[in-house]
């Protein structure tokens, strides 16, 4: 990438003199390289934005529209450019969506800064004005926002589909958006209605089928086969499920041990003992009525051996092995059971109950579904399907964004129009506000207000519309008081965007503006790059 | 006769004028490097590491910048050293001290150029710094007795310190955080009980102060998520089986049943240990090492909250704030000091779950949770906040307060100027030079803010000619203003440390007349 090669002059080890000329150069080169990053992702903004194909160093190919992912994979070196990458990541953490928007806005701010600095305005003045602008912008946005109730499922679905519309999977937004809303709402704890832990929503990807086949599973899905080498059951009704953290295999001590065999009769005895040992374990398990075993992965010894599998099969116990330790918490929460770490503690009250545990063939692989769980915890599993790995990955990322959007709404129950409407309105109101201010500040705020027009401009441009006509018309409509007029990309004209159901959470817009402003201010304040150990 | 060869190969020697020039140039280069970060409108630097990962730090903190520089010049190293000492001693003023020392040397260079002996300059500098210190002492304010005013002083100092940092926009918020945190310490300068946790996400404004302690860990499975009136046992012990530590030890058995027995015995040992721990009458157990699945289940059965793999720092702090001792053997429950707190619960900050201990034994303890857009912001915010905390905790002990904004420098410069006029002999040149060096600080502040420094400093000087003037540079409006009205204050201790260490460093470098660079130690040939 040619733009990436904009490297600041490296200060040498024996650097002894720093003149002001160089500071300007550094600031300018920082701004330039940061803008280069912003330009790189610009075309992926909006519902008609394009995707990027990234081929990573390991030869893997990723096709995505997600700003955070693109930037993450770009491996930029220039420090200021890196800061933009960080910026996009932060937006991902805070809001989960709008990762491209935030970078595009930062790029536009930087462009204005370049002009401001060239006309001799001190960087700190520009930086302070930018701070004020962002504060004011948040006020304006909040005033524009429409409150939303969590019970209002339609609005939630609308905002999730707005987020999904710009992705590869946009044609499935009618399916995925309600799915995202349902899964988030089902994990909201009524005791703490403002908090959503997205870790309670598990996304399982499985190749095969199309995105259409994506479904929400009330229960658990394991991307694993049932261990049935010995012909064990693959479908169990009225399952009693145990999550065990020990192994059903011959004993192994932590201390190094060896069994000394002195003659062949002993060999038989040892084999028999091993069999008895395992058998007694399985008997204990069977005694509690357990018929599904989830076995945690162990690095020290085999979770199950052929022998134990054989006995388990005979006892009609379904076995899923190699469950990761990290997943145990999620599983136990879902099944409402306790993990069992020792055979001695294997008691009936630690089991979980489900109507059905079955192995299902999907595409080229098999998965295990646990459904109808009794007293299920507040978790959800989404099974994502896709015709190839790339679509699958992108679908997962898009779904994650949609989940985040819904989460934002749970955190901050306000909606705002999409389609460039808030940005144009901001630009207009900030422009008016700048006339009230005095001196340099007014000048700076005015240019930052103009910078915000970049969002509708880019939206229109990416949709193949004439950006100038569109933006000027938008301005006109907003000046006449239609604060919800935005670009309707599908129709290619300007309409009341709220009526078109293009909405997004307030948090996404506000955090995009504040984070972009914070990042640009930081870049402005830098006057030197020092190479250190 | 010249000595043919005195030193080893590659060892170099620089003498007299050359040596002095080399140290002046080095020291001034360092001072110039950090100069632009001075003052509320100072700029930041990117520190780009050449090591792996090319990690990037953005900072305004003089000590951080200097610490990470590659430096070859010995004189420059001296400046870096004083900045470090300043950081350790008082925490703030790390840039000022280097800039002042640099300016002193710049002036000294001119004097040496006009054939004044370095020793004369040193003598002059000493007199001047002494006089400057006394001038400051005359003007300090001490509001120790008036709690309200004292708090206001602290707020002002915190705001002044923070105004030059990244936190400047929310300085009031953070000044309050810092003052509250320091006031909880009740006079101790031990900043360890103030914990700073950084969590990306949110904005700086969302940062908050929380009484008690926050541990960035998860609660074990199936264990209570909320405990009131907790008795906490803090431990550093291995929870797996006790092993024979002799290398190569192994057991020989002749049947599988015996292996099973040994395994059973191992489990039994673990159970015993857990029973012993439970026997302490606790309901929360925090271990620095891993707690394995088996003991975790035992704890869960006993209704005890067990936290595994807490980092060392976390453990020590937790021990400190809850008043417990870190235990590693559990045979004598009566000799182990347990920690106590009112409530343990799981809280969520951003996307992460953390464990919150409130109502801890040590009332001073508190946690500041920093939120910010990115790690760069958070790291820098932590550094800035740390500076503010240092200064405040110093001020709580030494409550003498000065005005800021270049005011102390002008006061000192005025006193030193008067001294110069009274002092006969060559020394007076040096004293005069000292006053010029002092004025360089307000000049730099003005320069960095993009103001007309010559004009401002001249105005300031005229203001200070009057008795008891409070004039300083008001960077925001870009004019001379009344510092006490604007509420810009600095701690006396910081200013004094800046003055004294800068003078000392300058003196040290001035005394040098020969630099001997030893031959670098050769690596042994590995062939």
């Amino acid at each position: 990438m040619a733009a990436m090669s904009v490297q600041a002059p490296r200060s040498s080890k024996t650097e002894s003199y720093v003149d002001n000329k160089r500071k300007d150069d550094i600031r300018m080169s920082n701004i330039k390289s940061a803008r280069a990053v912003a330009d790189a992702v610009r075309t992926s903004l909006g519902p008609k934005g394009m995707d990027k194909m990234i081929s990573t160093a390991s030869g893997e190919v990723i096709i995505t529209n997600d700003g955070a992912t693109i930037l993450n994979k770009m491996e930029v070196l220039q420090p200021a450019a890196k800061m933009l990458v960080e910026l996009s990541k932060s937006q991902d953490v805070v809001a989960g969506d709008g990762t491209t928007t935030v970078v595009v806005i930062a790029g536009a701010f930087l462009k204005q800064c370049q002009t401001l600095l060239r006309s001799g305005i001190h960087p700190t003045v520009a930086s302070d004005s930018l701070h004020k602008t962002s504060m004011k912008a948040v006020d304006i946005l909040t005033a524009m926002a429409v409150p939303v109730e969590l019970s209002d499922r339609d609005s939630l679905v609308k905002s999730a589909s707005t987020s999904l519309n710009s992705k590869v999977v946009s044609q499935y937004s009618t399916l995925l958006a309600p799915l995202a809303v349902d899964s988030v709402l089902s994990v909201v704890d009524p005791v703490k209605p403002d908090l959503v832990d997205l870790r309670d929503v598990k996304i399982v990807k499985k190749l095969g089928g199309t995105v259409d086949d994506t479904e929400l599973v009330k229960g658990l899905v394991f991307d694993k086969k049932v261990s049935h080498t010995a012909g064990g059951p693959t479908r169990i009704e009225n399952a009693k499920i145990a999550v065990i953290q020990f192994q059903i295999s011959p004993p192994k001590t932590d201390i190094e041990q060896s069994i000394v065999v002195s003659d062949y009769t002993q060999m038989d005895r040892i084999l028999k003992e091993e069999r008895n040992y395992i058998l007694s374990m399985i008997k204990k398990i069977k005694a509690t009525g357990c018929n599904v075993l989830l076995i945690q992965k162990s690095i020290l010894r085999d979770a199950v051996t052929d022998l134990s599998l054989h006995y388990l099969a005979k006892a009609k116990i379904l076995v899923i092995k190699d469950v990761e330790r990290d997943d145990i918490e999620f599983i136990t929460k879902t099944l409402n059971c306790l993990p069992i770490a020792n055979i001695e503690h294997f008691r009936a009250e630690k089991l979980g109950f489900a109507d059905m545990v079955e192995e299902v063939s999907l595409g080229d692989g098999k998965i295990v579904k646990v459904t109808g769980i009794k007293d299920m915890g507040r978790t959800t599993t989404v099974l994502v399907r896709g015709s190839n790995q790339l679509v699958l990955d992108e679908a997962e990322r898009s779904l994650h964004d949609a989940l985040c959007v819904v989460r934002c709404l749970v955190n901050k129950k306000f909606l705002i129009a999409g389609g460039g409407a808030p940005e144009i309105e901001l630009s207009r109101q900030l422009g008016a506000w700048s006339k009230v201010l005095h001196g340099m500040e007014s000048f700076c705020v005015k240019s930052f207000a103009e910078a915000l027009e970049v969002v509708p401009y880019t939206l229109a441009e990416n949709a193949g519309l004439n950006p100038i006509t569109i933006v000027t018309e938008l301005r006109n409509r907003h000046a006449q008081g239609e604060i919800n007029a935005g670009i309707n990309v599908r129709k290619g004209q300007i309409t009341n965007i709220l009526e078109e159901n293009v909405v997004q959470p307030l948090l996404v817009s506000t955090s995009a503006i504040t984070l972009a402003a914070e990042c640009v201010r930081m870049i402005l304040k830098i006057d030197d790059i020092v190479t250190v150990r | 006769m010249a000595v043919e060869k005195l030193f080893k190969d590659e060892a170099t020697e620089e003498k007299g004028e050359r040596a002095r020039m080399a140290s002046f140039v080095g020291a001034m280069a360092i001072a110039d490097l950090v100069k632009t970060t001075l003052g509320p409108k100072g700029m930041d630097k990117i520190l780009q590491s050449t090591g792996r990962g090319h990690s990037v730090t953005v900072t305004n903190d003089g000590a951080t910048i200097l610490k990470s520089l590659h430096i070859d010049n010995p004189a420059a190293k001296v400046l870096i050293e004083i900045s470090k000492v300043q950081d350790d001693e008082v925490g703030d003023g790390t840039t000022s001290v280097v800039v002042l020392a640099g300016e002193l040397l710049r002036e000294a260079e001119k004097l040496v150029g006009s054939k004044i002996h370095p020793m004369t300059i040193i003598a002059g500098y000493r007199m001047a710094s002494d006089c400057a210190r006394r001038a400051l002492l005359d003007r300090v304010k001490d509001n120790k007795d008036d709690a309200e005013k004292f708090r206001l002083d602290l707020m002002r100092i915190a705001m002044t310190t923070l105004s030059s940092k990244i936190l400047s926009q929310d300085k009031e918020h953070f000044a309050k955080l810092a003052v509250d945190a320091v006031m909880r310490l009740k006079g101790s300068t031990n900043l360890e009980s103030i914990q700073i946790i950084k969590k990306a996400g949110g904005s700086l404004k969302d940062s908050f102060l929380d009484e008690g302690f926050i541990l960035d860990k998860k609660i074990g499975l199936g264990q209570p998520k909320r405990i009131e009136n907790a008795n906490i046992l803090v431990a550093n012990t291995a929870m797996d089986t006790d092993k024979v530590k002799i290398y190569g030890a192994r057991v020989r058995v002749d049947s599988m049943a015996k292996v099973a027995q040994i395994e059973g015995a191992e489990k039994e040992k673990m159970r015993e240990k857990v029973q012993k721990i439970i026997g302490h009458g606790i309901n929360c157990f925090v271990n620095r090492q891993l707690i394995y699945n088996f003991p975790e289940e035992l704890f869960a059965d006993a209704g005890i909250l067990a936290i595994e793999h807490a980092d060392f720092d976390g453990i020590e702090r937790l021990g400190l704030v809850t008043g417990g001792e870190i235990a590693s053997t559990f045979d004598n429950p009566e000799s182990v000091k347990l920690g106590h707190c009112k409530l343990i619960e799981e809280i969520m900050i951003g996307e992460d779950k953390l464990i919150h201990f409130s109502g801890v034994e040590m009332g001073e303890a508190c946690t500041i949770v920093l939120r910010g857009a990115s790690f760069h912001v958070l790291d820098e915010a932590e550094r800035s906040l740390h500076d503010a905390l240092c200064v405040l905790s110093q001020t709580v002990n030494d409550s003498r307060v000065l005005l800021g904004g270049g005011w102390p420098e002008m006061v000192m410069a005025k006193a030193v100027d008067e001294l110069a006029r009274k002092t006969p002999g060559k020394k007076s040149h040096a004293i005069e030079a000292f006053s010029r060096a002092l004025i360089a600080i307000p000049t730099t502040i003005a320069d960095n803010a993009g103001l007309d420094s010559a004009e401002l400093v001249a105005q300031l000087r005229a203001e200070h000619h009057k008795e008891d003037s409070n004039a300083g540079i008001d960077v925001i409006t870009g004019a001379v203003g009344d510092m006490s009205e604007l509420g810009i204050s600095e701690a006396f201790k910081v200013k004094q440390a800046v003055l004294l260490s800068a003078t000392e460093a300058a003196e040290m470098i001035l005394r040098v007349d020969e630099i001997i660079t030893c031959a670098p130690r050769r690596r042994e040939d590995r062939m």
Side-chain angles (χ1 to χ4, degrees):
Chain A
M1 217 171 277
M4 285 309 94
S5 58
V6 183
Q7 274 276 347
R10 286 261 172 100
S11 53
S12 68
K13 195 177 168 188
T14 49
E15 182 65 59
S16 63
Y17 186 65
V18 187
D19 62 1
N20 270 317
K21 175 88 176 59
R22 198 169 147 246
K23 276 173 211 156
D24 276 349
D25 286 350
I26 284 191
R27 198 169 283 128
M28 282 304 171
S29 92
N30 278 342
I31 293 180
K32 230 183 247 162
S33 34
R35 279 190 59 200
V37 172
D39 284 342
V41 292
R42 230 185 84 160
T43 52
S44 65
L45 189 80
K48 295 258 170 115
M50 288 300 164
D51 294 356
K52 307 272 169 201
M53 184 183 260
I54 306 161
S55 117
T56 57
S58 55
E60 197 192 342
V61 176
I62 299 172
I63 297 178
T64 184
N65 180 285
D66 184 39
T69 316
I70 301 173
L71 291 171
N72 217 349
K73 299 285 176 196
M74 274 210 309
E75 292 183 18
V76 292
L77 271 183
Q78 216 277 345
K82 258 189 182 168
M83 289 170 66
L84 275 209
V85 178
E86 286 287 322
L87 168 70
S88 163
K89 271 191 213 159
S90 314
Q91 173 78 4
D92 199 26
V93 171
V94 177
D97 194 22
T99 46
T100 315
T101 317
V102 71
V103 175
V104 170
I105 292 180
F109 281 154
L110 283 170
K111 187 177 170 194
Q112 292 296 341
C113 289
Q114 239 172 348
T115 342
L116 291 176
L117 292 183
R118 259 194 223 114
S119 56
I121 289 177
H122 196 267
T124 48
V125 176
S127 152
D128 289 350
S129 328
L130 185 53
H131 183 74
K132 280 193 185 144
T133 313
S134 77
M135 290 292 131
K136 183 79 182 168
V138 171
D139 289 348
I140 296 175
L141 284 177
T142 317
M144 275 177 79
V146 193
V148 62
E149 286 299 319
L150 282 188
S151 48
D152 183 6
R153 190 162 168 272
D154 278 354
S155 302
L156 298 183
V157 173
K158 274 183 218 160
S159 49
S161 40
T162 308
S163 159
L164 287 169
N165 270 337
S166 63
K167 316 281 174 180
V168 177
V169 292
S170 59
Q171 69 268 39
Y172 304 112
S173 62
T174 42
L175 171 80
L176 294 179
L179 198 141
V181 173
D182 288 343
S183 49
V184 172
L185 288 184
S186 67
V187 299
V188 175
D189 189 350
V191 183
K192 290 182 213 150
D194 293 343
L195 287 178
V196 182
D197 194 346
L198 281 187
R199 273 166 296 197
D200 289 340
V201 180
K202 193 175 173 188
I203 299 179
V204 177
K205 294 182 285 182
K206 195 72 194 165
L207 200 60
T210 56
V211 181
D212 269 329
D213 300 330
T214 300
E215 58 176 333
L216 183 75
V217 181
K218 282 271 173 203
L220 274 175
V221 173
F222 293 97
D223 186 10
K224 289 192 177 65
K225 279 192 284 190
V226 169
S227 307
H228 48 60
T229 40
T234 55
R235 177 190 160 96
I236 289 205
E237 284 178 30
N238 290 329
K240 292 182 178 172
I241 307 166
V243 181
I244 61 170
Q245 294 177 309
F246 59 91
Q247 297 80 32
I248 307 180
S249 56
K252 191 177 172 200
T253 55
D254 279 356
I255 196 164
E256 221 177 322
Q257 41 99 355
S258 57
I259 303 175
V260 187
V261 182
S262 50
D263 63 64
Y264 71 93
T265 49
Q266 273 185 343
M267 227 158 80
D268 270 353
R269 190 166 56 91
I270 288 169
L271 283 176
K272 211 163 77 198
E273 274 171 356
E274 183 182 328
R275 211 173 298 156
N276 283 339
Y277 179 80
I278 289 172
L279 208 54
S280 72
M281 266 173 125
I282 290 167
K283 270 186 188 148
K284 273 182 198 154
I285 293 171
K286 192 66 194 167
T288 56
C290 163
N291 50 16
V292 176
L293 268 188
L294 307 177
I295 304 178
Q296 182 180 326
K297 201 175 195 167
S298 167
I299 42 167
L300 290 173
R301 55 194 255 199
D302 296 331
V304 280
T305 61
D306 285 348
L307 191 67
S308 52
L309 273 180
H310 173 75
Y311 285 121
L312 285 168
K314 274 198 169 165
K316 298 255 176 306
I317 295 177
L318 188 147
V319 180
I320 301 167
K321 61 175 186 178
D322 292 349
V323 178
E324 300 289 339
R325 194 183 178 196
D326 297 343
D327 292 339
I328 295 280
E329 183 170 2
F330 181 80
I331 294 169
T332 50
K333 195 172 171 190
T334 313
L335 290 175
N336 199 14
C337 66
L338 285 173
I340 302 165
N342 188 291
I343 185 76
E344 303 300 329
H345 296 167
F346 208 109
R347 289 190 297 270
E349 70 260 26
K350 290 197 176 176
L351 302 183
F353 300 93
D355 290 343
M356 172 74 84
V357 177
E358 60 175 338
E359 188 182 63
V360 187
S361 284
L362 271 186
D364 58 346
K366 287 180 175 171
I367 57 161
V368 180
K369 266 194 199 173
V370 181
T371 45
I373 298 169
K374 204 174 122 196
D375 299 331
M376 194 173 123
R378 298 193 176 280
T379 58
T380 316
T381 306
V382 180
L383 179 63
V384 182
R385 308 292 311 276
S387 53
N388 63 50
Q389 197 61 42
L390 297 177
V391 171
L392 200 57
D393 289 346
E394 179 66 4
E396 188 203 359
R397 279 190 290 271
S398 314
L399 193 59
H400 173 258
D401 280 8
L403 288 175
C404 288
V405 166
V406 184
R407 185 189 59 174
C408 287
L409 282 175
V410 175
N411 288 347
K412 213 173 178 183
K413 298 181 178 66
F414 284 101
L415 275 177
I416 200 164
E423 284 80 8
I424 268 292
E425 183 62 18
L426 272 183
S427 169
R428 192 183 68 80
Q429 291 202 23
L430 286 172
W433 183 57
S434 76
K435 287 177 189 134
V436 188
L437 299 171
H438 299 282
M440 297 279 208
E441 225 170 57
S442 154
F443 190 68
C444 294
V445 170
K446 188 157 167 32
S447 39
F448 291 133
E450 276 166 24
L452 284 169
E453 281 182 4
V454 75
V455 174
Y457 189 93
T458 316
L459 273 179
E461 204 177 41
N462 288 350
L465 306 170
N466 184 344
I468 295 177
T469 337
I470 292 284
V471 170
T472 42
E473 197 188 332
L474 258 182
R475 260 192 229 158
N476 187 328
R477 299 277 282 267
H478 276 262
Q480 287 165 15
E482 293 180 41
I483 59 163
N484 289 323
I487 306 173
N488 185 333
V489 177
R490 251 175 253 145
K491 290 187 188 151
Q493 61 192 34
I494 288 169
T495 50
N496 184 335
I497 211 79
L498 267 188
E499 283 167 13
E500 295 291 328
N501 294 340
V502 181
V503 284
Q504 61 192 42
L506 174 65
L507 192 62
V508 171
S509 299
T510 50
S511 90
I513 295 216
T514 43
L515 289 178
E518 212 163 293
C519 175
V520 170
R521 289 180 57 215
M522 201 145 181
I523 294 179
L524 276 181
K525 277 192 85 182
I526 290 162
D527 72 340
D528 207 351
I529 297 180
V530 186
T531 321
V532 298
R533 269 174 288 233
Chain B
M1 283 291 275
V3 182
E4 272 286 293
K5 200 169 171 188
L6 198 55
F7 296 110
K8 248 189 188 170
D9 279 351
E10 288 184 50
T12 52
E13 182 192 19
E14 282 183 72
K15 280 187 173 165
E17 205 67 350
R18 278 181 61 96
R20 200 166 287 125
M21 280 328 274
S23 20
F24 284 163
V25 169
M28 280 177 329
I30 290 296
D32 281 342
L33 183 74
V34 291
K35 208 172 171 180
T36 53
T37 65
L38 195 73
K41 296 237 166 159
M43 291 293 157
D44 296 354
K45 308 263 174 213
I46 288 187
L47 304 179
Q48 188 175 33
S49 116
T50 49
R52 275 190 59 193
H54 292 275
S55 61
V56 169
T57 316
V58 181
T59 184
N60 177 281
D61 184 36
T64 313
I65 300 171
L66 292 173
K67 241 188 298 194
S68 33
L69 283 179
H70 286 300
I71 293 293
D72 234 3
N73 187 303
K77 279 188 183 154
V78 171
L79 286 199
I80 292 176
E81 209 55 47
I82 56 166
S83 154
K84 263 190 218 164
V85 170
Q86 180 84 10
D87 195 28
D88 295 342
E89 287 284 313
V90 281
D92 194 22
T94 47
T95 311
S96 312
V97 71
V98 174
V99 171
L100 183 59
E103 288 304 325
L104 284 174
L105 286 172
R106 200 187 301 274
E107 293 297 333
E109 186 193 359
K110 284 181 210 151
L111 293 177
V112 170
S114 58
K115 300 279 180 269
I116 294 178
H117 194 275
M119 283 305 163
T120 320
I121 303 175
I122 291 172
Y125 276 7
R126 276 196 188 158
M127 285 172 67
S129 94
D130 204 42
C131 157
R133 191 171 157 265
R134 260 181 279 121
L136 280 188
L137 270 176
D138 281 347
R139 300 287 300 269
V140 291
K141 279 178 202 137
D142 195 340
N143 288 327
K144 196 167 196 162
D145 307 320
D146 187 344
E148 200 132 301
K149 266 192 183 161
F150 184 48
R151 198 185 151 82
L152 187 69
D153 274 351
L154 285 182
M155 278 296 282
R156 284 178 166 183
I157 289 175
M159 284 212 267
T160 312
T161 306
L162 291 173
S163 64
S164 64
K165 315 273 172 164
I166 191 170
L167 304 175
S168 61
Q169 289 300 334
D170 308 308
K171 60 183 171 191
E172 231 160 289
H173 181 68
F174 281 98
K176 207 169 156 315
L177 278 187
V179 172
D180 282 346
V182 168
M183 291 303 258
R184 292 179 75 96
L185 290 178
K186 301 188 186 76
S188 96
T189 51
N190 179 12
L191 292 179
E192 263 182 26
S193 43
I194 301 177
Q195 188 195 19
I196 299 181
I197 284 191
K198 295 175 282 184
K199 282 279 163 214
S203 71
L204 286 171
K205 249 210 195 120
D206 300 332
S207 309
F208 60 92
L209 180 88
D210 201 290
E211 57 117 26
F213 182 81
I214 292 177
L215 194 64
D216 193 354
K217 282 286 168 273
K218 269 198 194 152
I219 295 176
L221 285 178
Q223 291 162 351
K225 306 267 179 217
R226 183 189 157 94
I227 286 188
E228 278 176 35
N229 288 329
N231 291 325
I232 306 160
L233 179 64
V234 187
N236 180 8
T237 182
M239 289 304 290
D240 56 346
T241 41
D242 293 337
K243 272 183 217 159
V244 181
K245 292 273 159 54
I246 306 164
Y247 176 73
R250 50 163 58 195
V251 257
R252 280 175 197 277
V253 288
D254 57 358
S255 74
M256 195 57 91
K258 286 190 179 157
V259 179
Q261 272 173 20
I262 293 176
E263 200 195 12
E266 280 177 350
K267 286 270 155 68
E268 201 48 49
K269 268 193 151 334
M270 277 162 116
R271 189 197 305 273
E272 259 176 44
K273 193 163 191 176
V274 173
Q275 286 307 333
K276 272 185 199 160
I277 292 170
I278 295 171
H280 285 72
I282 54 166
N283 45 18
C284 173
F285 177 67
V286 185
N287 193 9
R288 193 184 84 75
Q289 299 182 26
L290 283 171
I291 301 176
Y292 294 84
N293 293 331
F294 179 60
E296 185 176 303
E297 195 191 359
L298 291 175
F299 282 125
D301 280 351
I304 289 176
L305 196 162
I307 301 161
E308 68 169 6
H309 213 209
D311 51 301
F312 206 76
D313 200 35
I315 280 288
E316 285 198 336
R317 255 181 229 262
L318 189 62
L320 184 78
V321 298
T322 58
E325 269 171 12
I326 299 174
S328 49
T329 53
F330 308 101
D331 290 326
N332 307 310
E334 60 282 352
S335 68
V336 175
K337 232 178 120 193
L338 295 179
H340 300 281
C341 80
K342 293 249 162 54
L343 179 68
I344 301 176
E345 62 182 339
E346 208 176 42
I347 54 167
M348 226 173 139
I349 301 177
E351 282 197 336
D352 292 320
K353 278 183 179 161
L354 307 160
I355 304 169
H356 183 218
F357 297 77
S358 51
V360 292
E361 197 137 281
M362 191 162 125
E364 295 100 84
C366 58
T367 304
I368 295 176
V369 179
L370 286 179
R371 307 296 310 277
S374 70
F375 288 105
H376 298 153
V377 175
L378 283 177
D379 286 345
E380 177 67 357
E382 187 192 5
R383 280 190 289 270
S384 318
L385 198 60
H386 180 256
D387 279 6
L389 289 175
C390 282
V391 175
L392 288 178
S393 67
Q394 295 292 341
T395 319
V396 171
N397 286 337
D398 183 346
S399 56
R400 285 172 292 184
V401 170
L402 293 168
L403 294 178
W407 176 87
E409 283 78 12
M410 294 314 290
V411 170
M412 290 193 277
K414 190 185 164 200
V416 171
D417 259 343
E418 269 163 25
L419 177 75
R421 254 172 265 146
K422 281 183 236 154
T423 317
K426 273 188 183 172
K427 265 189 269 182
S428 74
H429 289 290
I431 299 173
E432 226 171 14
F434 195 92
S435 121
R436 276 198 299 275
L438 283 171
I439 291 180
I441 289 199
T443 314
T444 313
I445 294 178
D447 273 340
N448 285 347
L451 304 171
D452 185 351
S453 60
E455 169 75 22
L456 272 179
V457 171
Q459 277 184 26
L460 204 55
R461 200 170 10 209
E463 274 301 316
H464 272 269
H465 197 65
K466 299 174 202 154
E467 281 302 309
D468 287 332
S469 162
N470 287 333
I473 297 178
D474 178 0
V475 177
I476 313 299
T477 58
V480 170
D482 187 325
M483 289 296 116
S484 68
E485 273 172 27
L486 289 165
I488 298 173
S489 302
E490 278 180 271
F492 169 71
K493 204 160 173 188
V494 174
K495 275 292 153 206
Q496 174 180 289
V498 167
L499 180 69
L500 297 185
S501 17
T503 320
E504 247 167 50
E507 188 181 309
M508 203 146 63
I509 295 172
L510 263 176
R511 279 171 180 272
V512 172
D513 75 338
E514 180 162 331
I515 301 175
I516 301 169
T517 318
C518 294
R521 196 183 294 157
R522 285 266 182 92
R523 290 259 169 91
E524 291 290 322
D525 261 337
R526 297 234 173 95
M527 297 300 278

